[in-house]
Amino acid sequence: NEADSRLKGAAEKYLSSPPAAHPAGCAVPFADSPFDTADIGKRVYLDLIHTATRYVHIMTPYLVIDSELLEGLKFAARRGVDVALMLPGKSDNRLLQTGAVSYYRELLEAGVRLLIFEPGMLHAKTCVADDRRAVVGTINMDYRSLYLNLENAVYFTDCPAVAEVERDFETSLADCHPLTEAEVQRIPLMRRLGSRVLRLLGPML
């Protein structure tokens, strides 16, 4: 009838062209809160670390982590994944920077690369794996950020932004030097002992 014809004509006016193809992959914003028990930020990092097959590249201003994350990083390196942590040469938090020293030796022994950003404070919080997945946000690799703070980030998978995150990491390598076990051995004994104490106090820093 006439009404149906008018309705069909109106529909064809707006639907005659096929919908644009959806871009590859997706970007998912998420938040983490101390008021739940999910520890979402930590679980996302662990997922990238545990499922990586080629590489995991992480930029973080602080490194004061629990045994679960520590063992995850070490195990990934031992199974042949290129695990690299980019850390600041100078920090805005001397206690956290000293606490990070306690992890250096066992990470290096496991095959994790530690890259020291020489120009100063590195404040990026990114994690990218296998050219497929990445996280960018406010989540540091320390207890306060992973358990106590209100944080947010975006998880990218199979989209162009992943390559941009990795490109930023690779570009920043020019301003880094790889930490060696010999350098760790030259860190003053009192600082190394202090780092062990601060590691025990990590949840309160």
Side-chain angles (χ1 to χ4, degrees), residues 62-100:
Y62 314 119
L63 183 68
V64 184
I65 52 178
D66 63 13
S67 60
E68 193 173 12
L69 273 168
L70 177 61
E71 292 304 317
L73 291 167
K74 290 162 56 178
F75 180 66
R78 285 171 174 154
R79 59 187 172 85
V81 176
D82 173 30
V83 181
L85 294 174
M86 191 175 293
L87 306 167
K90 297 179 182 178
S91 178
D92 61 352
N93 190 315
R94 295 293 297 276
L95 287 178
L96 289 180
Q97 188 175 36
T98 298

Side-chain angles (χ1 to χ4, degrees), residues 14 35 49 58 89 107 110 117-118 127 139 151 184 203:
Y14 294 102
F35 306 114
I49 293 166
I58 298 169
L107 286 170
F117 185 75
E118 292 292 354
C127 181
I139 306 168
E151 306 284 8
V184 175

Side-chain angles (χ1 to χ4, degrees), residues 50-202:
H50 286 317
T51 59
T53 58
R54 294 191 293 113
Y55 76 81
V56 178
H57 293 163
I58 298 169
M59 302 172 79
T60 180
Y62 314 119
L63 183 68
V64 184
I65 52 178
D66 63 13
S67 60
E68 193 173 12
L69 273 168
L70 177 61
E71 292 304 317
L73 291 167
K74 290 162 56 178
F75 180 66
R78 285 171 174 154
R79 59 187 172 85
V81 176
D82 173 30
V83 181
L85 294 174
M86 191 175 293
L87 306 167
K90 297 179 182 178
S91 178
D92 61 352
N93 190 315
R94 295 293 297 276
L95 287 178
L96 289 180
Q97 188 175 36
T98 298
V101 171
S102 69
Y103 299 94
Y104 288 173
R105 185 170 182 176
E106 57 187 303
L107 286 170
L108 289 171
E109 288 177 347
V112 176
R113 291 192 294 145
L114 300 179
L115 308 164
I116 307 301
F117 185 75
E118 292 292 354
M121 181 60 189
L122 173 77
H123 219 275
K125 299 106 167 147
T126 68
C127 181
V128 57
D130 294 346
D131 295 331
R132 291 196 58 237
R133 297 171 298 145
V135 173
V136 178
T138 67
I139 306 168
N140 303 306
M141 294 190 76
D142 70 87
Y143 283 93
R144 183 170 294 278
S145 188
L146 294 170
Y147 294 105
L148 300 177
N149 287 354
L150 293 164
E151 306 284 8
N152 62 79
V154 179
Y155 176 90
F156 302 99
T157 179
D158 294 321
C159 61
V162 175
E164 294 180 25
V165 178
E166 173 62 9
R167 190 178 305 120
D168 182 59
F169 184 92
E170 295 292 338
T171 301
S172 300
L173 286 175
D175 293 316
C176 295
H177 87 266
L179 190 68
T180 66
E181 291 188 46
E183 288 178 271
V184 175
Q185 285 294 98
R186 291 196 295 270
I187 295 173
L189 177 61
M190 291 307 297
R191 189 179 182 209
R192 281 184 280 148
L193 290 175
S195 74
R196 305 296 296 189
V197 174
L198 289 171
R199 180 166 166 174
L200 292 173
L201 299 176

Side-chain angles (χ1 to χ4, degrees), residues 6-16:
R6 287 200 303 268
L7 183 61
K8 182 178 180 181
E12 289 176 347
K13 178 180 178 181
Y14 294 102
L15 300 177
S16 57

